[in-house]
Amino acid sequence: MTKTYNICLLPGDGIGPEIIAEGVKVLDAVGAKYDTAFSYTEALLGGCAIDACGTALPDETLRVAEASDAVLLAAVGGPKWDTTDPAKPRPEQGLLGIRKALGLYTNLRPVQIFNALADASTLKPEIVDGVDMMIVRELTGGLYFGRRERFYDEDGCGTSGAAGQRAYDTLEYREYEVERIARQAFEAARKRRNKVTSVDKANVLETSRMWREIVHRIGAQEYPDVELEDLLVDNTAMQLISRPVDFDVVVTENMFGDILSDEAAQITGSLGMLASASLGDGTALYEPSHGSAPDIAGRGIANPLAQILSVEMMLRYSFDMNEAADDIRRAVTAVLDEGWRTGDIKQVDTLADKIVGTVAMGDLVVSHL
Ligand code: IPM
Ligand code: MG
């Protein structure tokens, strides 16, 4: 009997609607092959939700997402909604809000090189050859969700005596939050090369010292078979571009993970290729690691591959459809091997007639399934 899954689609802003259509196309194609039907409910998140409802995360969106088997998100944000006025809604609040509301504390960001794109990296080919890491970013704690405030301080902080604005954000973690993300990292490592690098700033931050202690306890008690190393975040930033091949699983707190995952993405040469999965105890969410690229929105030239690879992750992590997921990866690899490129990943030797738009790239992937 045909199995049916309900997917909540959040196209968002910018290139979002264009790329998500290609993700859906690929999902429908593999569904047909594996006797699985996907039904879709579209909802608003980010700037488009602000325009329509005055809030980046409308209640209705959360209701649809919670009732779905998985959420496929494209991207949110754009210059239209950029503001530093704390009283105005921001598209990013929709993203942070849905992560928190769905309890998506684990963010998996795989960083892999497609051979055909090896020379797209700004690093030397011999440095990036064979890069294959999984960044496990804690996603619902730390600075992103801590107490914060901005106010006018009449006393001038008691130091220089000058009155002025004052602001703070707090970096806080609880033991259970570190324990559960550590377990996710160790579990991921067991399915890979059995090594975890835990990234912190334990020479300065108390949260980091606690983080390190807890990760080591979980490792020693529950995963003695997995190799564990610690690395300070500043040093990690350096090692990532000097010896990226050495990294297997990298686990770190929310803000460090945000920064390091962009850096790691650049190793592959294009942020346009990287997918991500955000997992919790309920409905999971899948999205490309890149943004909404407002500068090229509506022109049909955006790279849909990170979105399509997010669909691959959805099949693996939410539906246990590993064969179908493998099919997608194989198809994307084949399309790239044949020389097809979107503008962002074109190379010096890319033939002009092999540069394709968003829809054509989606069609090519489907034709290889
Ligand atoms: C990401 C993004 C988001 C984050 C922004 C858009 C809020 O940079 O998913 O990495 O900081 O988490
Ligand atoms: Mg980021």
Side-chain angles (χ1 to χ4, degrees):
M1 215 186 69
T2 305
K3 186 139 185 53
T4 301
Y5 290 116
N6 299 308
I7 314 281
C8 168
L9 295 180
L10 303 173
D13 311 313
I15 59 170
E18 296 163 60
I19 59 172
I20 210 165
E22 302 313 305
V24 168
K25 197 192 272 177
V26 170
L27 203 43
D28 284 337
V30 287
K33 181 168 167 190
Y34 290 94
D35 201 19
T36 305
F38 297 100
S39 78
Y40 305 99
T41 310
E42 210 172 293
L44 297 170
L45 186 82
C48 59
I50 293 174
D51 287 350
C53 319
T55 168
L57 175 56
D59 293 341
E60 170 67 5
T61 297
L62 195 54
R63 203 190 54 71
V64 172
E66 278 169 342
S68 303
D69 295 308
V71 179
L72 186 65
L73 167 68
V76 300
K80 180 177 177 194
W81 304 280
D82 271 349
T83 174
T84 51
D85 181 351
K88 294 217 175 92
R90 299 174 50 85
E92 292 78 9
Q93 289 165 342
L95 191 55
L96 301 181
I98 200 165
R99 287 173 180 171
K100 193 70 172 178
L102 295 178
L104 306 173
Y105 63 88
T106 306
N107 184 215
L108 301 178
R109 298 191 165 181
V111 178
Q112 276 162 329
I113 302 265
F114 286 88
N115 284 337
L117 298 180
D119 67 2
S121 176
T122 47
L123 299 180
K124 295 193 182 81
E126 64 267 29
I127 300 284
V128 301
D129 187 32
V131 164
D132 180 4
M133 74 181 94
M134 176 72 87
I135 299 192
V136 180
R137 169 186 175 193
E138 200 291 326
L139 203 59
T140 52
L143 279 172
Y144 276 59
F145 295 96
R147 247 173 310 114
R148 73 183 50 154
E149 200 185 348
R150 175 163 155 185
F151 56 101
Y152 195 81
D153 188 354
E154 301 286 353
D155 296 338
C157 323
T159 47
S160 70
Q165 288 194 74
R166 198 167 158 180
Y168 63 83
D169 299 273
T170 25
L171 171 41
E172 188 172 8
Y173 271 102
R174 289 170 193 274
E175 187 158 8
Y176 79 93
E177 294 177 301
V178 182
E179 287 175 343
R180 65 186 183 183
I181 195 73
R183 288 195 180 98
Q184 294 288 337
F186 286 118
E187 291 291 342
R190 274 187 177 162
K191 293 190 195 124
R192 297 170 44 92
R193 302 194 305 279
N194 237 23
K195 180 177 167 190
V196 170
T197 304
S198 173
V199 175
D200 61 38
K201 188 71 184 172
N203 52 350
V204 178
L205 302 176
E206 201 51 47
T207 40
S208 281
R209 286 189 276 269
M210 182 185 83
W211 174 283
R212 192 177 279 209
E213 205 179 280
I214 295 169
V215 172
H216 275 269
R217 175 171 53 75
I218 298 289
Q221 288 173 352
E222 301 173 28
Y223 303 91
D225 53 305
V226 180
E227 184 190 343
L228 171 62
E229 69 171 6
D230 304 298
L231 211 54
L232 295 172
V233 63
D234 49 346
N235 191 14
T236 308
M238 193 169 72
Q239 304 295 337
L240 269 177
I241 50 172
S242 62
R243 50 171 188 98
V245 180
D246 293 349
F247 292 93
D248 181 10
V249 171
V250 176
V251 63
T252 192
E253 68 94 29
N254 203 344
M255 177 104 180
F256 295 162
D258 177 45
I259 298 169
L260 293 177
S261 59
D262 264 28
E263 189 195 3
Q266 186 52 39
I267 295 171
T268 69
S270 175
L271 200 48
M273 296 298 299
L274 292 195
S276 87
S278 300
L279 315 172
D281 298 321
T283 306
L285 179 148
Y286 301 85
E287 62 175 312
S289 288
H290 61 69
S292 59
D295 51 320
I296 58 163
R299 292 170 52 195
I301 58 171
N303 182 354
L305 292 176
Q307 181 83 74
I308 290 170
L309 294 169
S310 305
V311 166
E312 179 208 339
M313 292 191 87
M314 173 187 285
L315 294 172
R316 259 184 231 292
Y317 290 94
S318 283
F319 306 139
D320 217 9
M321 293 174 67
N322 289 312
E323 265 180 64
D326 290 343
D327 284 352
I328 293 181
R329 178 148 290 261
R330 253 195 309 273
V332 169
T333 307
V335 168
L336 293 171
D337 285 346
E338 286 175 13
W340 302 103
R341 301 284 184 270
T342 44
D344 59 311
I345 51 172
K346 75 166 190 275
Q347 291 147 297
V348 268
D349 57 350
T350 301
L351 301 172
D353 63 348
K354 292 255 164 159
I355 298 177
V356 295
T358 313
V359 173
M361 188 52 109
D363 289 342
L364 280 163
V365 174
V366 167
S367 74
H368 284 75
L369 283 170

